[in-house]
Amino acid sequence: MVDSLLSARGLNKQFQSGDEPVPVLVDLSLHLEAGESLALTGRSGSGKSTLLNILCGLEKPDAGVVQVLGETFDTRSTEAGSKADARWGDLRRQQIGVVFQEANLMPALSLLDNVRFRARLAGQSEDGCQDWLERLGIGELADRFPDQVSGGQRQRAALAMVFAMKPALILADEPTGSLDRHTAEAVIGQLFELQTRHGCGLILATHDPELASRCSQHLDLAHLPET
Ligand SMILES: Nc1ncnc2c1ncn2[C@@H]1O[C@H](COP(=O)(O)OP(=O)(O)OP(=O)(O)O)[C@@H](O)[C@H]1O
């Protein structure tokens, strides 16, 4: 049997606010095949970032199972946490490209070297790295360091890093949040083009209904209790 790209079942997550438990995800399940895209929507605080963090191993659910790219992570497993962390680390290095609201660039490297570093880490060629920066409209900033460019330019560099690693799955948390409408449309165009061309999976957290409508699936977290 061929595994699906990503499957999550029965995810539960709550945080504490003082003595009060704050439920964020309640018995949540989702399924994504290669080549599919999923829009995650819901009001601010509904759990979109928490879910993305769980789907790439940066946050642990209180209960539930995540199966991704042939690996299974089950909260009922007796596997040592450090082993599971190592498996998640390998997936994020090689196969899961993550774009967060805060671009996670290395401050001591130029934008181009950040993209090259990411490509190398994923075992990909560095040849197309400058090209990715060009396609995202920041080619002329390749030699600048992250603190010498704007937040939106950093966000585009973070996308270039993900494109250069040619991941099987992209998780993007409001990837155009700091961009003007025109630039955002160009960047989203690149994201969907890459997703179609490489047949990778894409999960996109967004507040933009138009953007959500372009995805093949839609999961709205708005029904969860107000926190
Ligand atoms: N480490 C944490 N400790 C306690 N509460 C947390 C923690 N991380 C998130 N939360 C809470 O969990 C809820 C979900 O947060 P999350 O960031 O997932 O929402 P979101 O839907 O991504 O919001 P936004 O659209 O504003 O980015 C919020 O109420 C938030 O305050």
Side-chain angles (χ1 to χ4, degrees):
M1 185 188 112
V2 179
D3 287 330
S4 65
L5 180 66
L6 170 68
S7 164
R9 292 189 306 279
L11 292 182
N12 283 280
K13 181 72 184 176
Q14 65 179 32
F15 292 108
Q16 289 293 128
S17 174
D19 291 339
E20 287 292 306
V22 180
V24 177
L25 303 177
V26 181
D27 199 21
L28 186 142
S29 298
L30 61 86
H31 187 87
L32 192 77
E33 298 288 346
E36 285 188 326
S37 53
L38 167 72
L40 271 185
T41 58
R43 60 177 166 68
S44 179
S46 59
K48 301 180 295 297
S49 304
T50 302
L51 178 56
L52 288 179
N53 281 333
I54 287 174
L55 297 178
C56 67
L58 290 174
E59 188 95 63
K60 291 206 175 12
D62 300 322
V65 183
V66 177
Q67 287 178 305
V68 57
L69 291 153
E71 299 277 352
T72 299
F73 301 90
D74 187 336
T75 50
R76 292 165 307 186
S77 155
T78 53
E79 178 186 32
S82 55
K83 272 198 177 168
D85 287 345
R87 290 194 291 132
W88 274 121
D90 285 344
L91 285 172
R92 283 194 303 273
R93 248 187 314 281
Q94 288 156 10
Q95 302 199 72
I96 304 180
V98 182
V99 188
F100 287 133
Q101 288 170 356
E102 287 298 313
N104 39 347
L105 305 180
M106 298 181 71
L109 296 182
S110 70
L111 299 192
L112 179 57
D113 283 341
N114 263 288
V115 182
R116 284 180 173 149
F117 178 75
R118 199 67 198 75
R120 242 189 349 261
L121 214 55
Q124 297 294 338
S125 158
E126 295 177 28
D127 291 349
C129 291
Q130 174 70 33
D131 193 43
W132 280 120
L133 292 174
E134 307 281 351
R135 290 168 73 169
L136 290 161
I138 49 172
E140 78 283 8
L141 304 177
D143 294 331
R144 296 231 197 135
F145 290 89
D147 65 353
Q148 296 172 326
V149 299
S150 74
Q153 290 163 343
R154 275 197 293 278
Q155 207 169 26
R156 280 184 276 167
L159 272 165
M161 288 162 71
V162 164
F163 291 167
M165 69 180 281
K166 299 199 172 78
L169 173 64
I170 299 176
L171 304 180
D173 197 349
E174 295 179 43
T176 54
S178 14
L179 303 180
D180 64 83
R181 183 137 201 102
H182 176 76
T183 310
E185 274 168 20
V187 165
I188 286 297
Q190 295 284 346
L191 190 57
F192 279 109
E193 191 199 318
L194 178 97
Q195 192 245 333
T196 309
R197 186 144 38 95
H198 293 298
C200 55
L202 170 66
I203 301 185
L204 198 61
T206 181
H207 288 282
D208 179 350
E210 206 272 316
L211 180 52
S213 71
R214 292 175 64 177
C215 293
S216 50
Q217 292 188 51
H218 185 179
L219 178 60
D220 189 358
L221 301 182
H223 63 285
L224 293 173
E226 187 75 39
T227 56

